[in-house]
Amino acid sequence: MDKRQFLAAAFAAASVPAGAQAPAARGKRGPALLTVTGEGVRPNRGAFDPVRDQMMAKQKLAFAKAHAFDFATLAAMPSRTIRPTLEYDRKPHALSGPALVDVLRAAGVRASAGRLAMRAVDGYAPTISIADAAKYGFIVATHLDGQTMALGGLGPLWAVYDADRFPDMAAKPVDQRFALCPWGLYHIDVQAS
């Protein structure tokens, strides 16, 4: 799949209401929006393919095994809602989606130690410890203010937490609170500590 096809498929999946995607959760898989690789991953797809995984190839990623999630699978997981103040308009917004640690568990990862390299479609790749992902209550946001997030905005997926709830983060200027939160998230690499 070339980059244009991936982006078109990601946009199409993110723009369909969650209820309309229910058939995909019952057996038909939609396009992969999030791929988890690395330590402890239980694979549900093949190894890195330089033809199918063009964006990953351009960002110099490779893997022997991976667990891929489509939008319907993520949307069917138990959802949490957070309400952080966002830097874009300095107002609180409702973001919802599964807990990042639950996504990792669904991918087979049982480790509580180690690091997560989270990569956005633009190549931005902050790293956070699994312990901090749990401590700060990171979610893989699929919805912003009740609407799916489109590619080209903050979505279709955003690894994010409620910075307002943590004094050490809330003390920072709002434009510095989300440096560890890649929007347009599409890949997480689980690294041993």
Side-chain angles (χ1 to χ4, degrees):
M1 176 181 293
D2 70 23
K3 187 175 179 181
R4 286 187 190 109
Q5 288 173 320
F6 170 83
L7 294 175
F11 178 74
S15 63
V16 176
Q21 294 179 356
R26 290 191 296 266
K28 292 183 190 176
R29 289 186 50 134
L33 292 187
L34 178 63
T35 302
V36 180
T37 61
E39 198 71 28
V41 169
R42 183 184 61 249
N44 70 350
R45 64 151 282 174
F48 170 79
D49 179 332
V51 174
R52 285 184 51 216
D53 300 317
Q54 285 289 307
M55 188 178 336
M56 292 179 190
K58 288 181 183 356
Q59 294 181 359
K60 304 197 183 335
L61 300 175
F63 49 86
K65 61 182 182 174
H67 193 102
F69 293 89
D70 64 6
F71 187 86
T73 302
L74 292 168
M77 294 177 73
S79 182
R80 293 186 43 221
T81 299
I82 61 174
R83 290 179 174 76
T85 301
L86 300 183
E87 65 183 282
Y88 310 106
D89 63 3
R90 302 189 186 284
K91 295 178 183 175
H93 290 272
L95 288 151
S96 60
L100 177 55
V101 294
D102 290 345
V103 171
L104 295 174
R105 277 190 218 106
V109 177
R110 299 291 180 244
S112 57
R115 302 199 58 76
L116 304 173
M118 301 183 293
R119 187 171 299 273
V121 294
D122 64 359
Y124 183 65
T127 301
I128 186 171
S129 71
I130 294 173
D132 279 350
K135 171 186 165 184
Y136 289 114
F138 268 74
I139 66 170
V140 176
T142 57
H143 291 77
L144 171 66
D145 296 329
Q147 301 293 317
T148 55
M149 295 186 299
L151 187 63
L154 296 171
L157 306 175
W158 186 12
V160 64
Y161 70 108
D162 191 346
D164 297 350
R165 288 191 33 223
F166 299 93
D168 57 330
M169 295 300 174
K172 295 181 179 185
V174 71
D175 63 344
Q176 295 176 18
R177 296 178 190 171
F178 301 100
L180 297 174
C181 302
W183 46 263
L185 175 72
Y186 85 100
H187 178 254
I188 299 172
D189 185 45
V190 182
Q191 304 167 348
S193 49

